[in-house]
Amino acid sequence: MILADGDEVIVDRTGLSRAARAIWFGRGLLQRVDGAQVREALGRGDCPKAPNCLIVVGEQSSKAVPVAEAIDRLGCMFAHAETFQVLGRADHAAVRSGVSAARRARADVVLAVGGGTTLDVGKAIAALAKHDAAEDVEGFQVGRHRVDPAKALPWIAVPTTSGTGAESTNNAVIELGDEKRSIRGIPPPELIMADPALTDSLPLAPTAIAAVDALSQALEVLTSARASPIVQLLSVEASVSLIGGIQSLIGAGADIEPSVRDALSWGSLLMGTAFAHARLGIPHALAHYCARFGLAHGHMVGILLPSAMQVQARQAGVRERLRRLESQSPEMGDVLEWLDCSVPRLLASAGLPSSLSEAGFGSTDLEWIVRAEMAYEPMFGIPEHRANRHELLDVLSGAF
């Protein structure tokens, strides 16, 4: 069930089986919820004792007043709450330290408050805290170990950005050397509490990066062969909300209206729920090594998005799905033309490089990325097929 400013939207769990048990959305939401509601969402409504909690927070986001206030308020809802701070990186050290903190706190639940990095670390901690092999984080990334859902701690997600969808997905993206690899098979959160007010303090640049990352994921899911009709519908609705928010962001400067942040947050929430039930396409398939080139993950995805969708749309099945979006957002016109014009404009208006060459990539880097990413056997399209090196190089060249 999604609660949007007091209105209820019933989620068909037969079609969205991987959705969180409860999803709450609304500006000012965290000022209204109480401990009894949270315990009910956790399935502990009849339990007289509140659970112990490990609160996982981001170093930067926790400095924002609305986020700090939310953390204090949420912490009071538990019998005992300890805070673990993620210092900017989702790496093995963060996961191991968080697992140790969860064990010391005797945590019954993990509450993750932050952006994608923090949410990924939080859900990895929840997944591994009761596993004997938790110290071997790499093992869970490369297949030596698998997450046992029965051993995973329940977790609650409180996103503070509007972009990654990490609050909804069953994988935690953790650094492994120069790349990022997922710990998969993590149970969905018991509860998502999405309050757009927590994003109000974000400057334009991170807001723009989150927005294009979210839109890319919505479009990649929409054009995934594995997306069911209900997932496609959710992706279209997410895209419409995100496109409207992005159009308002272009040229907004530092003064971003709350209604724009609300639209981006709502679109991101819908996108994440859809993403949990399908798979991504080329933009994300080419962004594994973003950190090697000094780019934020969402920024590189945004740079790649227009040319990547051009390549994906060479297939009739993909183009047909995009037309469904165009019919729901006629003011946008042709979606591929809109992406080619609007995404670079947004990045440039936020003071960000809008092409790979502006970001410092050289032509030899493109060949290296293709060779490295081919090892992942990236899949995309309708019908789904393995991307070839020419398609990947076309995407990178178009974004160069």
Side-chain angles (χ1 to χ4, degrees):
M1 182 176 296
I2 299 178
L3 306 181
D5 292 331
D7 296 328
E8 294 186 357
V9 180
I10 304 302
V11 176
D12 179 1
R13 297 192 65 84
T14 61
L16 298 170
S17 59
R18 297 177 183 172
R21 181 200 293 265
I23 306 172
W24 299 345
F25 175 88
R27 178 165 287 272
L29 165 73
L30 295 178
Q31 298 299 316
R32 302 191 295 269
V33 299
D34 59 37
Q37 292 172 305
V38 172
R39 288 194 295 275
E40 183 71 27
L42 289 170
R44 291 172 170 260
D46 298 329
C47 183
K49 181 179 180 295
N52 294 333
C53 179
L54 179 71
I55 303 176
V56 181
V57 301
E59 178 186 22
Q60 294 301 318
S61 63
S62 62
K63 296 176 182 177
V65 173
V67 178
E69 290 177 347
I71 293 168
D72 289 342
R73 178 172 171 75
L74 292 168
C76 294
M77 298 179 186
F78 299 94
H80 174 69
E82 293 191 15
T83 299
F84 173 76
Q85 194 170 80
V86 179
L87 304 178
R89 295 182 64 181
D91 57 15
H92 291 183
V95 175
R96 292 192 190 103
S97 297
V99 165
S100 297
R103 291 171 175 174
R104 287 194 305 271
R106 298 181 181 275
D108 302 301
V109 61
V110 173
L111 171 66
V113 184
T117 295
T118 300
L119 294 175
D120 279 332
V121 172
K123 73 172 92 169
I125 293 168
L128 304 186
K130 290 189 174 182
H131 283 75
D132 293 337
E135 285 292 311
D136 183 17
V137 179
E138 180 180 342
F140 288 91
Q141 294 173 286
V142 300
R144 286 196 296 272
H145 314 296
R146 293 186 181 275
V147 173
D148 180 352
K151 291 183 178 181
L153 291 174
W155 63 287
I156 299 171
V158 181
T160 60
T161 62
S162 304
T164 67
E167 69 276 5
S168 300
T169 52
N170 70 349
N171 65 302
V173 182
I174 305 298
E175 293 178 17
L176 180 62
D178 282 340
E179 57 182 309
K180 294 186 176 183
R181 297 282 289 274
S182 288
I183 298 171
R184 300 190 180 277
I186 302 172
E190 297 295 304
L191 171 63
I192 298 171
M193 292 186 281
D195 186 341
L198 299 188
T199 71
D200 286 351
S201 62
L202 283 177
L204 177 59
T207 300
I209 288 173
V212 293
D213 191 15
L215 179 58
S216 184
Q217 291 183 115
L219 294 176
E220 290 170 70
V221 169
L222 173 61
T223 56
S224 166
R226 302 188 185 191
S228 68
I230 192 172
V231 170
Q232 293 172 46
L233 177 62
L234 208 57
S235 298
V236 167
E237 292 299 319
S239 299
V240 169
S241 189
L242 291 164
I243 286 166
I246 287 172
Q247 287 177 321
S248 298
L249 273 184
I250 296 172
D255 187 18
I256 302 173
E257 294 291 332
S259 60
V260 175
R261 294 194 184 273
D262 292 354
L264 293 172
S265 294
W266 179 243
S268 179
L269 181 62
L270 295 179
M271 174 276 294
T273 305
F275 177 19
H277 298 83
R279 66 182 299 167
L280 299 179
I282 295 181
H284 280 77
L286 285 169
H288 288 103
Y289 294 92
C290 55
R292 177 188 178 101
F293 298 96
L295 276 185
H297 177 267
H299 187 185
M300 185 164 180
V301 167
I303 290 174
L304 296 172
L305 174 58
S307 61
M309 293 311 299
Q310 290 279 358
V311 170
Q312 290 197 194
R314 291 172 183 171
Q315 287 187 283
V318 170
R319 196 67 185 88
E320 180 183 350
R321 297 267 183 96
L322 294 177
R323 288 195 189 99
R324 296 177 194 173
L325 170 58
E326 292 167 356
S327 70
Q328 295 299 311
S329 187
E331 69 280 1
M332 175 184 60
D334 182 284
V335 63
L336 298 177
E337 293 179 3
W338 184 90
L339 290 171
D340 196 47
C341 174
S342 298
V343 171
R345 282 182 63 202
L346 174 62
L347 294 175
S349 71
L352 297 165
S354 58
S355 68
L356 294 179
S357 58
E358 286 180 17
F361 286 67
S363 57
T364 57
D365 294 325
L366 308 190
E367 290 282 359
W368 183 91
I369 292 170
V370 169
R371 289 196 301 272
E373 297 290 8
M374 284 298 291
Y376 283 97
E377 300 186 353
M379 305 288 290
F380 80 98
I382 305 169
E384 191 175 61
H385 72 282
R386 182 180 175 184
N388 61 50
R389 67 175 302 277
H390 298 292
E391 289 169 323
L392 297 185
L393 192 56
D394 282 351
V395 173
L396 292 167
S397 298
F400 188 71

